[in-house]
Every structure is written in structure tokens, then in C-alpha cells.
């Protein structure tokens, strides 16, 4: 292993103040991704804010911009390449996205500081603003680490790339989607018996660095849950509400939605799921002080029946995060129906969002939902149609119809290995940067990402796809909501970790 040059920016108040200006300046550029923006980025002026953001990065990181080969992909996607001296080593790819979610105007008065002011409160060490944690903390931390390495005269043996999409918050088709294809064109693609071109890819995510049941732990994610939105739409004949049927379209839809919510998905565990390894490792770490839940987890090794008993217990007794790391979630997020108080609704619809467990699949989720609601719909006399949107001029069945439409969907990602040398180097770097209390070694275990990241677009580049927020603060940062903020000392940990990982992986693994 290349000896890691110790750099501890969190111990320098001068560095913290300078970094707060760098991160705060990035927050001041409102790089917002909106739903419904066109795929053609040149057709909507709202994308032009990314030009200003690129100008800011160029001014803020002069060494990075003078040493890297920089490619713009689809106008606003950024790829920085630092060619290594040893071309026998596979490149490493670091990812961080530029865009942020919108700030609803009716929440502005709830922010302690304006969301795009990038205000640093020296008393609390918090930098406030939209994107301060998701994901400008990661992007700026990567660039700060590289700037520092260049200042130190570091000459990389392994080629290093930084990929930065600009629409991760809306799925990434214009940014990381295009970057992934460009990197496949330049470096090739793996899978189907072919070797992968990249050693590893690191992006945001995981469950961070913290404590669980008194154990110092870090939890990088080696997989992401799948995703699907399923639309349920009921169409019935209209009429005057003075002479209503027993059940209107809205009433029937309500019954169907209640049935869905009354029947959540069951949690499960299999050896394919890295959460099983996480639970067993945690139980072993607890040793003689193991909790009753921990004992069950430890005893479950090799006993499938007990694996599911553990999953069921976590679903009952664990936090919501612990519960939904294991099981498929379902959330009724959009409901529409009715136009006027004295007119029967001719249609009513809902969209149910699902995040699919790694032990499941799109087919299983879709088949289960259809099987659950078809008998109920038919009991109301509705004709059930699966797939497709209603076409203009399509005949309306006099008894009414229920249409199930599968909208945006993707399978759970492949699970990256966690017993190989590459993950071992990631784990050793985590332990180096984040030692446990009183000199104890921090436990590093694989987990599953409940949300989705730009890594979905890089599946063909490496088998080692890691999602990890390298600091101890992300779970408290209010990302995507009012008062998003970032602790600057935690941000310094992010930059320090990237600096250490680059040095510690600059050799054959």
C-alpha cells in the first residue's frame, strides 16, 4: 500500500474558513433540477445556470483545471481526467452531482438563512443552504482533495477520473446517463464475461459513519434498491351528484388504496442481500454484550428461516431506515380526481412509488400489486386493464375500468462484492480516517441504498460500485428539506477521506 500522507484539514481553523467560502460559493449558484425539464438541454434556459457553476469551479480550483483533461458531456456534464503513469492499473472514478432539488416558495420563511445564500455560522460551524449536503459537499470535497494533492506534488500512478452529472435529482438521463455512455465508448464496458474497465466507482450514499448498538460502524452501500411508479386509474360514467351510485370513482379508488396500504411488502433476507452480512458482523462485534436481537442475528447465519425472522423483527422494532433497507417500500404520493362538487367524478387516479428490495424484482412487485387489487376492482364491476395509457377516443366501458400503468421503472442494481481486495482497501481507508472511540477499530459493513444515485448509469464500468458519504454528519443535514446544512468539520472529513483513498489506492489492488 502507498503510505498515506496524513492530512487533517478538520484540525485547521484556517482551512475550515477557506473551505466554507468554497462550499458556500457553490451553494450560491442555484443549480436546480426541476421535474419535467426537456431532454434537450439547449431548449430550456433553466440549464444555463450550470455555465455559471462551471465558471465558479474553474475560478475556485485552478490547479485541478490546469492539470486535468476536462470534457463536457451533453453541454453540462463534467469529466475530469488525471492520466496516471501506470496504464496497467485500471482507472478509479469519483462521482458527485452538480444539481440540487428546488426550494418550494411557501417554505422560504421557514429557513433560518436564505437557501441560496451559502451562509456559514461560525458559532455552530454549520453552512446553510440547498445543496450544502446533497451533493455539493461531495463534489467540492473531491475537488478540494485533488487540489491539495496537486499542491503536495502528488503524481498519480493510477488514472483518476471525476464524473459530475447535472440532473441526478431527476434520474440523471441527461447528465450521468450520457457520461456513462461516453466513458463506455472511451474505456469499454464490462459484464457478460467481459472484464470491467474501472477498478472502482465511488459516489454519495450509504448509511454513513456513526454508531449502532454502541458499536462504532461505517456502512458503505454496495447496491441500490429498484424503483417503480405504478399508476392506478379508475374511469366511470359521470352524472349529477344528486343521484349518485353507491360508489364513485373516488370512493372505489379509496378502497383500493386502503387495501394497498393495509398490505405492505414483507421483509426478507437472503445471502444475496448484504444486509445479512451487516447484521451478522454487528452481532459478532457485540460479543458478550450482544442484545437479544443480536443473538438472533448471529444465530441466523446459515439458517434461512431465522433470517426472515430477523427481518420481521427489524420491520417491527427497528427505525424506518432499518425497516426499508430490508423491505420494498410503497408510498401513495399522487392522487387526482373530481372537478366539481355537484358533478360525479369521471376519473380518479393515484401513483404509488415503490423502492424494490434487492431480494425482489420489478416483475414480482407488479404481479403482486395486480393480484391484490384485481379482485377488489372486479367486485365493483370494473374491467381491469394492465398497461398503457388511455388513448383519445378509446371507448369507455359502461361499467367502468381500472387501468394499471407501469411508469418509470428500474430493477435493483447488481450487488457489488464486499469480500475482495478492493472493498478491503475501502474499509481500511475508512478505519484510518474514522477510528473508533478509545482506539478501537471501526466496524465496516456493506449495506443497501434505499434511494437511487448516478451510479445506476455506471453499472457497465466496474463491479466495485460504492455509495458512501464519508463523514459523521450526513444523517443530520436536512437534505431535500427546509434548513439543509452541512457541518464544516464533517465536510473537512469528506475532503480528507477522498485525499486518503486516492493515495491508498494508487497501486495494484
Amino acid at each position: 500500500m502507498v503510505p498515506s500522507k496524513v492530512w487533517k484539514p478538520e484540525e485547521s481553523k484556517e482551512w475550515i474558513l477557506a473551505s466554507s467560502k468554497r462550499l458556500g460559493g457553490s451553494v450560491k449558484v442555484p443549480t436546480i433540477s426541476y421535474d419535467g425539464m426537456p431532454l434537450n438541454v439547449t431548449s430550456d434556459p433553466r440549464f444555463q445556470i450550470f455555465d455559471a457553476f462551471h465558471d465558479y469551479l474553474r475560478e475556485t480550483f485552478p490547479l485541478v483545471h490546469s492539470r486535468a483533461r476536462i470534457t463536457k458531456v451533453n453541454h453540462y456534464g463534467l469529466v475530469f481526467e488525471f492520466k496516471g503513469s501506470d496504464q496497467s492499473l485500471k482507472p478509479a472514478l469519483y462521482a458527485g452531482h452538480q444539481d440540487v432539488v428546488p426550494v418550494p416558495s411557501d417554505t422560504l420563511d421557514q429557513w433560518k438563512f436564505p437557501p441560496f445564500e451559502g451562509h456559514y455560522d461560525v458559532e455552530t460551524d454549520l453552512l446553510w443552504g440547498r445543496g450544502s449536503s446533497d451533493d455539493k459537499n461531495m463534489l467540492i470535497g473531491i475537488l478540494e482533495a485533488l487540489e491539495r494533492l496537486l499542491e503536495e506534488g502528488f503524481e498519480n500512478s493510477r488514472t483518476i477520473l471525476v464524473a459530475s452529472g447535472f440532473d441526478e435529482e431527476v434520474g440523471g438521463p441527461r447528465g450521468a446517463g450520457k457520461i456513462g455512455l461516453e466513458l463506455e465508448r472511451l474505456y469499454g464496458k464490462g459484464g457478460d464475461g467481459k472484464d470491467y474497465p474501472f477498478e472502482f466507482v465511488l459516489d454519495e450514499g450509504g448509511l454513513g459513519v456513526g454508531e449502532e448498538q454502541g458499536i462504532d460502524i461505517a456502512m458503505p452501500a454496495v447496491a441500490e434498491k429498484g424503483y417503480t411508479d405504478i399508476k392506478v386509474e379508475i374511469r366511470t360514467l359521470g352524472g349529477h351528484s344528486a343521484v349518485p351510485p353507491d360508489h364513485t370513482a373516488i370512493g372505489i379508488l379509496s378502497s383500493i388504496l386502503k387495501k394497498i396500504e393495509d398490505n405492505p411488502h414483507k421483509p426478507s433476507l437472503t445471502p444475496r442481500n448484504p444486509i445479512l452480512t451487516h447484521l451478522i458482523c454487528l452481532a459478532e462485534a457485540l460479543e458478550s454484550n450482544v442484545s437479544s436481537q443480536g443473538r438472533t442475528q448471529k444465530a441466523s447465519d446459515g439458517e434461512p428461516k431465522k433470517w426472515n425472522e430477523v427481518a420481521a423483527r427489524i420491520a417491527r422494532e427497528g427505525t424506518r431506515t432499518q425497516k426499508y433497507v430490508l423491505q420494498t417500500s410503497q408510498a401513495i404520493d399522487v392522487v387526482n380526481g373530481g372537478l366539481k362538487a355537484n358533478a360525479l367524478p369521471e376519473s380518479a387516479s393515484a401513483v404509488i412509488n415503490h423502492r424494490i428490495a434487492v431480494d425482489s424484482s420489478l416483475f414480482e412487485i407488479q404481479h403482486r400489486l395486480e393480484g391484490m387489487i384485481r379482485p377488489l376492482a372486479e367486485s365493483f364491476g370494473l374491467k381491469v386493464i394492465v398497461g398503457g395509457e388511455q388513448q383519445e377516443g378509446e371507448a369507455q366501458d359502461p361499467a367502468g375500468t381500472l387501468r394499471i400503468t407501469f411508469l418509470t421503472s428500474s430493477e435493483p442494481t447488481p450487488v457489488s462484492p464486499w469480500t475482495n481486495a478492493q472493498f478491503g482497501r475501502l474499509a481500511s481507508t475508512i478505519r484510518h480516517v474514522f477510528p473508533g472511540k478509545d482506539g478501537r477499530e471501526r466496524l465496516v459493513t456493506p449495506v443497501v441504498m434505499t434511494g437511487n444515485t448516478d451510479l445506476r448509469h455506471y453499472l457497465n464500468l466496474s463491479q466495485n460500485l460504492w455509495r458512501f458519504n464519508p463523514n459523521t454528519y450526513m444523517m443530520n443535514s436536512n437534505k431535500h428539506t427546509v434548513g439543509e446544512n452541512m457541518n464544516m468539520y464533517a465536510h473537512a472529513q469528506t475532503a480528507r477521506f477522498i485525499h486518503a483513498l486516492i493515495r491508498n489506492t494508487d497501486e495494484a489492488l
Side-chain angles (χ1 to χ4, degrees):
M1 181 188 298
V2 176
S4 177
K5 186 170 183 177
V6 176
W7 176 52
K8 297 182 178 181
E10 67 273 19
E11 294 182 357
S12 169
K13 188 64 177 178
E14 181 182 0
W15 190 92
I16 293 292
L17 288 171
S19 181
S20 71
K21 294 178 181 178
R22 289 188 288 266
L23 182 57
S26 75
V27 170
K28 289 179 180 179
V29 187
T31 50
I32 300 172
S33 279
Y34 299 92
D35 288 340
M37 294 176 81
L39 288 176
N40 181 357
V41 300
T42 63
S43 66
D44 191 325
R46 289 178 292 180
F47 285 108
Q48 294 172 9
I49 192 65
F50 291 96
D51 284 322
F53 190 66
H54 295 177
D55 290 341
Y56 175 77
L57 294 180
R58 188 181 307 109
E59 296 167 2
T60 307
F61 301 101
L63 287 179
V64 166
H65 282 77
S66 65
R67 303 285 183 85
R69 177 178 179 269
I70 301 173
T71 303
K72 290 195 176 184
V73 179
N74 197 21
H75 296 276
Y76 303 114
L78 292 173
V79 177
F80 300 82
E81 182 188 51
F82 299 85
K83 185 72 74 175
S85 59
D86 187 347
Q87 292 303 294
S88 70
L89 300 176
K90 292 182 181 181
L93 178 61
Y94 296 82
H97 62 87
Q98 306 166 50
D99 60 313
V100 303
V101 298
V103 177
S105 58
D106 60 356
T107 68
L108 288 172
D109 61 349
Q110 300 174 41
W111 285 74
K112 185 175 182 179
F113 300 101
F116 293 106
E117 189 175 274
H119 178 82
Y120 175 48
D121 184 350
V122 294
E123 293 185 2
T124 62
D125 295 312
L126 299 180
L127 189 137
W128 297 82
R130 175 64 83 232
S132 57
S133 65
D134 186 9
D135 184 36
K136 290 178 177 177
N137 162 66
M138 187 72 162
L139 178 59
I140 298 301
I142 292 170
L143 296 176
E144 286 176 327
L146 286 164
E147 193 83 0
R148 171 73 182 193
L149 286 164
L150 293 171
E151 290 172 355
E152 294 171 350
F154 176 70
E155 297 182 1
N156 53 302
S157 300
R158 185 187 301 280
T159 294
I160 300 165
L161 290 98
V162 178
S164 185
F166 58 93
D167 63 339
E168 190 270 354
E169 299 293 1
V170 290
R174 309 162 192 82
K178 299 294 185 182
I179 292 172
L181 293 175
E182 176 65 9
L183 293 178
E184 288 176 18
R185 185 184 71 81
L186 293 173
Y187 290 92
K189 58 190 294 188
D192 297 327
K194 295 181 181 178
D195 195 16
Y196 288 91
F198 281 73
E199 192 70 61
F200 63 83
V201 185
L202 177 73
D203 200 356
E204 62 172 330
L207 297 181
V209 181
E211 184 178 292
E212 187 169 345
Q213 298 187 54
I215 300 296
D216 296 315
I217 194 167
M219 295 168 281
V222 295
E224 294 178 18
K225 297 175 76 174
Y227 183 105
T228 184
D229 291 325
I230 302 179
K231 183 178 181 181
V232 177
E233 182 177 19
I234 294 172
R235 288 186 173 269
T236 58
L237 296 177
H240 200 290
S241 60
V243 189
D246 290 340
H247 304 283
T248 68
I250 293 174
I252 297 171
L253 180 64
S254 299
S255 296
I256 288 171
L257 296 182
K258 183 177 187 303
K259 178 153 190 174
I260 291 172
E261 286 205 333
D262 286 346
N263 291 274
H265 295 263
K266 292 182 179 180
S268 65
L269 272 175
T270 71
R272 181 176 180 273
N273 193 329
I275 297 299
L276 181 59
T277 294
H278 163 77
L279 294 173
I280 293 170
C281 289
L282 180 61
E284 291 174 345
L286 290 167
E287 296 178 339
S288 61
N289 294 322
V290 69
S291 66
S292 59
Q293 178 172 299
R295 289 193 191 98
T296 304
Q297 292 161 359
K298 191 169 184 179
S300 70
D301 191 10
E303 300 179 40
K305 182 179 179 181
K306 289 189 176 180
W307 295 341
N308 288 332
E309 289 175 0
V310 172
R313 176 176 292 184
I314 291 173
R316 291 193 309 269
E317 302 175 3
T319 66
R320 280 196 295 173
T321 297
Q322 291 170 332
K323 174 180 179 178
Y324 286 117
V325 162
L326 283 176
Q327 74 184 67
T328 296
S329 63
Q330 55 183 30
I332 301 165
D333 290 330
V334 181
V335 175
N336 289 293
L339 292 174
K340 203 169 184 296
N342 64 348
L344 297 175
E346 295 179 336
S347 67
S349 66
V351 176
I352 305 103
N353 173 261
H354 299 76
R355 304 301 175 106
I356 306 169
V358 296
D359 294 318
S360 186
S361 66
L362 275 171
F363 175 80
E364 181 180 340
I365 300 310
Q366 294 170 352
H367 182 72
R368 178 183 183 274
L369 184 74
E370 179 188 346
M372 187 193 313
I373 67 177
R374 177 183 284 274
L376 181 57
E378 291 176 345
S379 74
F380 285 106
L382 301 180
K383 176 184 177 182
V384 178
I385 305 170
V386 179
E389 295 281 355
Q390 178 157 335
Q391 303 298 312
E392 187 175 347
E394 181 179 318
Q396 170 67 56
D397 192 297
T401 60
L402 179 141
R403 184 184 296 271
I404 303 171
T405 307
F406 307 121
L407 306 176
T408 305
S409 299
S410 60
E411 294 281 4
T413 66
V415 179
S416 294
W418 62 85
T419 58
N420 59 2
Q422 289 84 353
F423 189 86
R425 192 60 58 86
L426 172 71
S428 66
T429 305
I430 291 171
R431 294 187 186 105
H432 167 71
V433 177
F434 304 100
K437 297 185 186 72
D438 302 322
R440 293 194 300 267
E441 186 175 87
R442 184 173 295 275
L443 179 65
V444 180
T445 65
V447 294
V448 174
M449 183 85 176
T450 55
N452 299 135
T453 71
D454 273 344
L455 277 195
R456 288 188 162 271
H457 300 288
Y458 303 146
L459 299 180
N460 294 325
L461 298 179
S462 179
Q463 68 169 343
N464 301 302
L465 302 172
W466 305 325
R467 303 127 182 109
F468 182 56
N469 289 318
N471 62 73
T472 56
Y473 187 72
M474 282 298 291
M475 300 301 286
N476 303 309
S477 65
N478 288 345
K479 63 180 181 178
H480 284 212
T481 191
V482 170
E484 182 176 351
N485 66 87
M486 191 66 211
N487 181 283
M488 284 307 302
Y489 287 89
H491 172 70
Q493 292 175 326
T494 300
R496 179 187 172 190
F497 175 81
I498 299 298
H499 179 276
L501 186 63
I502 289 173
R503 293 189 64 90
N504 290 350
T505 56
D506 197 46
E507 63 176 4
L509 301 181

